[in-house]
Amino acid sequence: MMFEEKPEGNGSLVDKNQLYLGARHQANGKPGASGKARLSARQEANDKCDLPRKSLNRYTWEEIQRHNQETDQWLVINRKVYDVTGWADRHPGGRKVLNHYAGEDATDVFRAMHPDPDIVQLYLKPLLIGELAPEEPNQERNKNSQLVEDFQELRRTLETMNMFKANRGFFFLHLAQILILEALAWVVVWHFGSGWLVTIFISCLLTVAQAQSIFLQHDMGHISIFKKSKWNHLMQKFLMSHLKGLSTKWWNNRHFQHHVKTNIDTKDPDIDVGPLFIVGDLTPVEHGKNKIKFIDYEKQHLYFYMVGAPLLMPVYLNLESMKEMYHRRYWEDIAWVSSFYIRYFITFGPFYGIFGTMVLIYLTKLLESPWFGYVSQMSHIPMKISREENQDWFSTQVLATCNAEQSFFNDWFTGHLNFQIEHHLFPTMPRHNYHKVAPLVKSLCAKHGLPYVNKPMLKAFGDIVRALKKSGALWKEAYCMHPEI
């Protein structure tokens, strides 16, 4: 769940924030005049129009869980109950993210997705309708309260260790790498011409730049680099839309759903891979019993080699991005994506012409596609895929995610997504800190009897295909055992 930094048209909320800032400066021993002025202005306003505060309504979990529909959405954060129904369509992270947590405790996911919860509190205040009754636990009764407390203590420890503070020099080097590769590709074709060998060589250079761009925009999308979200958003648009030609809003709406309900069927769009594939243990059996056969799913692991991985980027993701931009009228994204194609035609058009430049773009995305496909799927497809079980945040992420072993090459090749467990638990954490917190996460898993899966990267790649083959076999068995009615 993501909220913007600046509240719109709510003076009282701004005053509240300014009061907080002024008080904080005083606590630090540096009370500026502006802080005092804001404080006195707020006090004066309170003297003039202070009204007696009404006590908050109190609710049980049974009452809250009834408000889990798209037209009636309540959720709980730190024991406070919020009605987010009217806010859902304006939610910067997408309305579906809120709907996925309607009727549930969202304390940990809220903290995970927002780097500065104090700012977001400005938006939450008008949505507050009550609090949990005193006799109610902090989260639903089916959740492991001790595990929840231990995870929250772990997060506080990591915050104290400054694990959420970014080393901007690290990310600057990654950006420099991308820009140098893009420039080098043009210099090579300008100096050596546009022959086949040169074209293949520059396609490889551009492929590396494209793959590293999607990893770096991923960091920006999680607001893990700059303190101000606007700079993260701007750089994400530059990397995702200008350098890669994909819609930033489309990516964020899809990606945030994946994060908040990882590997949950019907809620995580990354496992909605039909009709070409079926994944997990439940959907294949249901498809088999109901005689659903778009293709021969028993051979879907072979389709992944031949069609899925090569066409993921140049066909599926590109078409999805364009369709979303058109239907949702993302005019800003359309402008940014148009600049991607304009840049290619200006830089490579004189050497290849319009058709040749389009071929170069497609060839680059074709080469990038297996890279991104394997890296993005190795941590989730082989893991637990289930229907909604409303587990605690820590268990949900650990059971649905695995790591690949660390090495300098693995870190670079995957954009540090070989640490998917740590990334999913702490999405706003800068990726250069994942390896530092991994031992603490592993220790917490051991304490509560949860698996911490870490495997060689090549095995992780192979497990994608093995998982698809297993799902295909489950479909085949169910298909053959249940004759048509």
Side-chain angles (χ1 to χ4, degrees):
M1 291 172 288
M2 304 293 291
F3 292 83
E4 294 289 355
E5 275 193 356
K6 296 180 180 180
E8 297 176 4
N10 195 329
S12 62
L13 295 181
V14 176
D15 288 342
K16 179 73 175 286
N17 191 39
Q18 290 171 339
L19 172 62
Y20 163 77
L21 292 174
R24 184 177 64 181
H25 291 322
Q26 289 180 336
N28 292 337
K30 299 177 181 179
S34 60
K36 291 181 179 178
R38 294 188 190 107
L39 185 60
S40 60
R42 179 61 174 168
Q43 288 173 338
E44 182 180 354
N46 287 341
D47 291 339
K48 290 182 178 180
C49 57
D50 193 22
L51 296 175
R53 293 185 59 187
K54 295 181 180 179
S55 60
L56 292 173
N57 294 327
R58 294 177 175 180
Y59 300 99
T60 64
W61 277 112
E62 184 179 0
E63 292 174 302
I64 293 167
Q65 289 167 344
R66 288 198 292 265
H67 299 271
N68 63 350
Q69 305 301 316
E70 189 168 347
T71 56
D72 183 17
Q73 304 178 41
W74 290 11
L75 50 81
V76 177
I77 300 173
N78 293 321
R79 295 191 62 86
K80 294 293 189 291
V81 182
Y82 300 92
D83 183 351
V84 298
T85 310
W87 166 257
D89 287 335
R90 295 182 290 131
H91 183 226
R95 61 180 177 82
K96 289 185 178 180
V97 171
L98 295 181
N99 184 238
H100 292 341
Y101 267 87
E104 301 179 18
D105 175 60
T107 301
D108 287 330
V109 64
F110 169 80
R111 189 65 189 90
M113 300 299 290
H114 299 94
D116 192 345
D118 291 329
I119 292 176
V120 187
Q121 289 296 330
L122 303 178
Y123 288 90
L124 286 176
K125 184 178 179 181
L127 309 178
L128 179 65
I129 60 171
E131 61 185 358
L132 287 173
E135 67 275 10
E136 292 293 317
N138 291 341
Q139 57 281 319
E140 300 91 320
R141 289 180 173 81
N142 64 295
K143 294 180 179 178
N144 185 338
S145 60
Q146 186 59 55
L147 175 54
V148 172
E149 291 176 12
D150 287 347
F151 173 69
Q152 292 173 352
E153 179 60 32
L154 172 60
R155 183 177 181 96
R156 287 190 289 270
T157 300
L158 298 179
E159 290 172 348
T160 303
M161 296 168 61
N162 287 324
M163 289 294 102
F164 292 88
K165 185 177 181 180
N167 178 351
R168 293 180 190 169
F170 171 89
F171 293 105
F172 174 79
L173 290 176
H174 280 273
L175 177 61
Q177 167 197 212
I178 294 166
L179 298 178
I180 289 171
L181 288 170
E182 292 271 353
L184 184 59
W186 180 83
V187 170
V188 168
V189 74
W190 172 74
H191 189 270
F192 294 102
S194 56
W196 278 108
L197 289 178
V198 171
T199 302
I200 293 173
F201 178 69
I202 69 166
S203 296
C204 292
L205 294 178
L206 293 171
T207 295
V208 176
Q210 289 285 293
Q212 293 299 319
S213 292
I214 203 167
F215 297 143
L216 188 55
Q217 72 81 27
H218 175 250
D219 298 315
M220 300 290 181
H222 283 296
I223 319 180
S224 63
I225 300 178
F226 299 104
K227 290 183 179 180
K228 289 187 176 293
S229 62
K230 65 178 181 180
W231 293 113
N232 289 285
H233 294 325
L234 178 62
M235 286 302 300
Q236 186 187 19
K237 291 179 187 298
F238 173 75
L239 288 159
M240 187 61 162
S241 299
H242 178 68
L243 291 186
K244 288 195 61 62
L246 295 173
S247 168
T248 303
K249 288 184 178 179
W250 158 79
W251 168 272
N252 286 341
N253 287 341
R254 178 188 178 98
H255 192 62
F256 295 151
Q257 289 183 68
H258 161 68
H259 263 276
V260 302
K261 289 294 182 180
T262 308
N263 277 17
I264 302 299
D265 193 23
T266 73
K267 293 186 177 181
D268 181 356
D270 282 11
I271 60 171
D272 181 13
V273 289
L276 191 58
F277 300 101
I278 47 176
V279 295
D281 297 337
L282 301 177
T283 301
V285 173
E286 289 181 355
H287 275 48
K289 289 180 178 179
N290 295 321
K291 299 300 178 181
I292 299 175
K293 183 182 179 181
F294 293 102
I295 62 169
D296 185 357
Y297 291 114
E298 190 180 19
K299 297 182 175 62
Q300 66 174 352
H301 59 291
L302 302 177
Y303 304 148
F304 181 78
Y305 282 124
M306 297 182 294
V307 179
L311 300 183
L312 173 65
M313 184 63 71
V315 178
Y316 176 72
L317 293 182
N318 269 274
L319 291 179
E320 283 288 307
S321 169
M322 291 179 181
K323 183 181 73 173
E324 188 78 1
M325 282 192 296
Y326 174 76
H327 285 301
R328 299 283 183 180
R329 301 294 192 268
Y330 293 155
W331 300 117
E332 185 179 0
D333 277 14
I334 290 173
W336 276 100
V337 170
S338 298
S339 73
F340 163 80
Y341 290 98
I342 292 171
R343 176 173 59 87
Y344 259 80
F345 288 131
I346 290 175
T347 53
F348 295 106
F351 308 103
Y352 292 102
I354 295 177
F355 178 75
T357 302
M358 291 300 297
V359 171
L360 177 65
I361 292 172
Y362 185 84
L363 178 60
T364 300
K365 291 184 179 293
L366 185 68
L367 293 174
E368 178 203 3
S369 191
W371 184 345
F372 177 71
Y374 276 97
V375 168
S376 62
Q377 300 305 312
M378 69 176 182
S379 299
H380 297 302
I381 294 296
M383 301 303 289
K384 178 183 178 181
I385 297 175
S386 64
R387 302 288 160 77
E388 180 60 77
E389 297 176 349
N390 192 17
Q391 289 185 305
D392 62 89
W393 173 254
F394 186 84
S395 299
T396 298
Q397 301 304 326
V398 169
L399 294 174
T401 313
C402 69
N403 285 359
E405 292 177 351
Q406 183 194 18
S407 70
F408 179 83
F409 175 78
N410 286 2
D411 291 351
W412 172 83
F413 187 81
T414 64
H416 287 82
L417 294 181
N418 51 327
F419 286 97
Q420 278 277 20
I421 295 175
E422 287 69 30
H423 170 61
H424 268 257
L425 290 173
F426 311 105
T428 62
M429 179 180 289
R431 56 166 137 146
H432 52 70
N433 287 333
Y434 292 159
H435 73 281
K436 300 176 184 178
V437 307
L440 298 177
V441 173
K442 186 176 181 180
S443 176
L444 185 56
C445 287
K447 178 180 178 180
H448 290 277
L450 292 170
Y452 182 91
V453 181
N454 188 30
K455 61 184 78 169
M457 190 162 69
L458 291 180
K459 182 181 185 303
F461 289 165
D463 283 348
I464 301 173
V465 179
R466 285 185 278 272
L468 290 173
K469 187 175 182 179
K470 176 188 173 184
S471 296
L474 290 173
W475 170 84
K476 182 69 173 181
E477 181 181 3
Y479 190 91
C480 294
M481 288 180 62
H482 292 79
E484 295 189 39
I485 299 176

